[in-house]
């Protein structure tokens, strides 16, 4: 007989109380146990008011401990309750499928073991970024990379589109026990970006607001200023286009032979 254990991973959005959808709220309120991983203690407290059995995932983090081990333990904690036949909800800040490997891994593991598992989307930092910075990704295009991955691998940049680098405060870190990078590591990122942008190109350091009384961080600095800037693990680097789009004349003629 199929187990009745179920898993739902939901997004609570970025801002306390303002971004939670009705479907996500229903999963939180009706679950037997809720695991919470959010960006602010006040947001965590707010989620915990919705269910009598809420458990924070924050204690799994510790300085010097591999994040890979931390994430594996989080997944196992959630799956243990699913295997026990309980209805489990994982409540994650932002969107549970965006820069959040635990929900993806937990859902995949639950389904592999024959349990029902679903994901409910939420408003992500990317959604807030478009609104706060007035960026339309459809205007000239938008490229997104995790900052360390961008440094470790040879990616092709189109300087005529927006470039968004996520988690720039830990860019260049291979040791997953560290939570901030060094000036030397940032300098290497600037070095890489200077291949496509001048050092005086103005970039934006962005952090979405998590409380209604707070304002998002929107700090503009020249590219070279990134080395000495104040960066956090959740800081996003937004690089505006550095040149105009170049028309593909050959394709233009093929599409519009009459002119």
């Amino acid at each position: 007989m199929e187990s009745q254990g179920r898993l739902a991973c939901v997004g609570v959005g970025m801002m306390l109380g303002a971004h939670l959808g009705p479907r996500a709220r229903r999963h939180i309120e009706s679950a037997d146990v809720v695991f919470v991983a959010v960006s602010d203690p006040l947001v965590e407290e707010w989620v915990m008011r919705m269910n009598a059995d809420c458990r924070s995932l924050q204690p799994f983090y510790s300085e010097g401990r591999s994040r890979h081990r931390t994430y594996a333990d989080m997944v196992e904690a959630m799956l243990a309750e699913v295997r026990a036949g309980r209805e489990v909800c994982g409540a994650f800040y932002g969107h549970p499928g965006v820069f959040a490997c635990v929900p993806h891994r937990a859902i995949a593991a639950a389904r592999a073991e024959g349990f029902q598992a679903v994901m409910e989307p939420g408003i992500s930092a990317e959604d807030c970024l478009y609104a706060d910075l007035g960026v339309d990704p459809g205007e000239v295009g938008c490229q997104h990379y995790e900052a360390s991955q961008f440094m470790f691998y040879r990616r092709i940049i189109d300087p005529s589109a927006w470039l968004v680098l996520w988690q720039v405060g830990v860019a260049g870190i291979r040791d997953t026990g560290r939570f901030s990078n060094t000036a030397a590591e940032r300098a290497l990122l600037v070095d890489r970006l200077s291949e496509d942008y001048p050092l005086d190109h103005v970039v934006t350091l962005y952090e979405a607001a998590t409380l209604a009384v707070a304002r998002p961080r929107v700090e503009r600095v020249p590219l070279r200023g990134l080395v000495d800037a104040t960066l956090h693990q959740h800081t996003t680097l937004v690089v505006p286009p550095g040149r105009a789009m170049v028309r593909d004349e050959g394709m233009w003629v093929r599409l519009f032979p009459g002119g």
Side-chain angles (χ1 to χ4, degrees):
M1 182 175 177
E2 186 179 351
S3 170
Q4 295 303 302
R6 292 188 296 177
L7 172 66
C9 290
V10 307
V12 301
M14 299 302 297
M15 186 177 291
L16 187 153
H19 294 165
L20 183 65
R23 289 169 62 93
R25 178 184 287 273
R26 187 162 64 248
H27 279 296
I28 294 172
E29 292 175 341
S30 64
D32 296 317
V33 56
V34 178
F35 290 91
V36 187
V38 291
S39 57
D40 188 284
L42 288 176
V43 178
E44 181 175 273
E45 182 180 336
W46 167 68
V47 173
M48 288 186 167
R49 292 176 185 170
M50 300 182 206
N51 192 295
D53 190 353
C54 280
R55 307 174 192 181
S56 175
L57 290 172
Q58 292 302 323
F60 286 96
Y61 289 106
S62 63
E63 188 73 32
R65 187 170 192 255
S66 166
R67 288 200 295 273
H68 296 306
R69 182 70 261 161
T70 294
Y71 299 153
D73 289 346
M74 289 179 176
V75 171
E76 180 56 31
M78 297 170 68
L79 265 291
E81 294 296 332
V82 175
R83 294 184 193 112
R86 310 188 77 188
E87 185 170 332
V88 178
C89 178
F92 297 86
Y93 71 92
H95 189 303
V98 177
F99 284 90
C101 66
V102 172
H104 282 295
R105 293 178 184 177
I107 287 174
R111 288 174 177 171
E113 296 182 24
F115 299 104
Q116 293 183 25
V118 298
M119 180 180 286
E120 287 293 338
I123 292 177
S124 68
E126 179 184 351
D127 301 312
C128 296
L129 182 154
Y130 293 143
D132 291 332
L133 301 187
V135 173
D136 179 356
E139 185 178 6
V140 295
C142 195
Q143 309 152 98
H144 294 260
Y145 300 105
E146 194 277 330
S148 288
Q149 184 191 85
F150 174 79
M151 294 177 71
F152 296 160
Y153 299 94
R154 196 68 187 173
R155 311 307 298 258
I156 299 174
I157 300 176
D158 178 1
S160 68
W162 290 87
L163 174 65
V164 180
L165 296 182
W166 297 92
Q167 300 177 332
V168 72
V170 291
I173 295 179
R174 191 176 180 187
D175 170 12
T176 55
R178 282 197 288 143
F179 294 101
S180 61
N181 53 18
T182 64
E185 288 162 338
R186 298 178 192 178
L188 289 174
L189 174 59
V190 170
D191 235 19
R192 171 65 185 90
L193 289 168
S194 69
E195 297 175 16
D196 296 280
Y197 304 92
L199 288 173
D200 59 356
H201 190 63
V202 177
V203 300
T204 299
L205 302 174
Y206 176 76
E207 296 170 12
T210 58
L211 302 173
V213 295
R215 295 185 62 82
R217 178 188 181 187
V218 180
E219 181 181 349
R220 293 182 170 88
V221 298
L223 178 58
R224 62 166 59 88
L226 183 63
V227 176
D228 299 314
T230 299
L231 302 180
H232 306 108
Q233 192 172 352
H234 58 283
T235 304
T236 301
L237 177 66
V238 183
V239 183
R243 71 181 189 199
M245 291 186 291
V246 179
R247 191 164 79 175
D248 185 334
E249 296 294 348
M251 181 60 72
W252 187 270
V253 170
R254 292 169 67 188
L255 287 169
F256 313 109

